[in-house]
Amino acid sequence: DTEVTQTPKHLVMGMTNKKSLKCEQHMGHRAMYWYKQKAKKPPELMFVYSYEKLSINESVPSRFSPECPNSSLLNLHLHALQPEDSALYLCASSLLPGQGNNEQFFGPGTRLTVL
Amino acid sequence: GENVEQHPSTLSVQEGDSAVIKCTYSDSASNYFPWYKQELGKGPQLIIDIRSNVGEKKDQRIAVTLNKTAKHFSLHITETQPEDSAVYFCAASEGGSYIPTFGRGTSLIVHP
């Protein structure tokens, strides 16, 4: 199984709502990532988890709260978002440095619209 | 940190023609260079990659070349087909970090 799955596929939320994005992989990868992608731009790194611990936070506003409950799951909790947060949110996973191939596997993304 | 430049931003070709996308990188420590294809509404998918210990790699109609001295690498697609239309991203990373630095992307349009 070389797939990263993400739910939901689409999400529309108001600025006062609380919602969560979910990501799952069963490739045994111990590094998981959240990216934000705006139209016609490359993915922009938000968070990195290594061995289920947050290792990188790219100065992301606290209205985005990541969580890694176990080695297969990654969540992104959303609260009090702004319209400019509307984007495609991508999850990815990979082996850790030294474990082998450094290929990142991306999920299909969640298209988020904040009204 | 690493900086990856990618050109052109848009490339329009006729079906059957070849397409070439070029990238340059700044960090000589980078040793892994993946290429991703992203179709509309989907996540990026790895289509080919190359490591710094080889100069060229080919997979059917797709090839990648790497010039470590000049710090540039290129994607070559031969006999293009309409289904090759997508945004292509080059990236670079080094062995101590598996986090790639992406180029700005090239929108490839293949006209039937």
Side-chain angles (χ1 to χ4, degrees):
Chain A
D1 182 4
T2 58
E3 190 180 22
V4 175
T5 59
Q6 288 187 246
T7 56
K9 191 173 176 61
H10 300 278
L11 179 62
V12 179
M13 61 186 290
M15 290 188 284
T16 58
N17 292 159
K18 285 185 180 181
K19 296 286 184 183
S20 296
L21 310 185
K22 297 186 183 300
C23 172
E24 189 167 1
Q25 57 87 17
H26 295 286
M27 294 178 277
H29 291 166
R30 302 308 292 274
M32 296 187 76
Y33 312 77
W34 279 116
Y35 287 87
K36 173 182 178 180
Q37 187 179 30
K38 290 282 203 177
K40 301 186 186 299
K41 299 288 186 183
E44 179 184 336
L45 185 67
M46 299 174 72
F47 303 104
V48 181
Y49 272 82
S50 302
Y51 291 111
E52 297 86 70
K53 293 192 187 311
L54 183 64
S55 58
I56 295 177
N57 176 342
E58 290 289 322
S59 302
V60 179
S62 60
R63 58 185 183 270
F64 295 91
S65 176
E67 177 196 20
C68 191
N70 60 53
S71 60
S72 300
L73 295 174
L74 186 66
N75 298 323
L76 186 63
H77 303 296
L78 314 173
H79 174 55
L81 295 193
Q82 303 297 310
E84 58 264 29
D85 296 322
S86 298
L88 182 69
Y89 287 84
L90 294 163
C91 174
S93 71
S94 75
L95 295 170
L96 285 164
Q99 289 184 335
N101 191 330
N102 39 349
E103 176 185 351
Q104 275 195 336
F105 291 80
F106 283 86
T110 293
R111 174 72 60 190
L112 174 67
T113 303
V114 182
L115 301 176
Chain B
E2 176 65 276
N3 181 48
V4 176
E5 299 283 341
Q6 181 172 349
H7 299 280
S9 57
T10 305
L11 180 58
S12 184
V13 299
Q14 289 296 128
E15 183 177 0
D17 288 351
S18 295
V20 180
I21 302 171
K22 298 182 178 183
C23 290
T24 60
Y25 63 99
S26 61
D27 189 350
S28 56
S30 290
N31 57 8
Y32 177 66
F33 306 92
W35 285 89
Y36 291 91
K37 175 184 181 181
Q38 187 171 24
E39 296 175 278
L40 201 60
K42 297 185 178 180
Q45 296 298 309
L46 181 75
I47 54 171
I48 196 166
D49 56 14
I50 192 167
R51 299 184 185 280
S52 58
N53 57 349
V54 298
E56 185 173 358
K57 184 176 178 181
K58 192 172 181 180
D59 182 4
Q60 299 182 344
R61 297 186 296 109
I62 295 173
V64 57
T65 58
L66 172 65
N67 183 326
K68 283 175 55 181
T69 304
K71 295 198 190 75
H72 66 70
F73 56 114
S74 301
L75 177 71
H76 304 254
I77 305 174
T78 58
E79 300 171 25
T80 53
Q81 301 166 2
E83 50 265 39
D84 294 329
S85 296
V87 178
Y88 291 80
F89 292 100
C90 64
S93 67
E94 54 95 5
S97 166
Y98 281 10
I99 301 169
T101 299
F102 288 92
R104 296 174 66 84
T106 296
S107 178
L108 174 64
I109 303 164
V110 180
H111 299 281

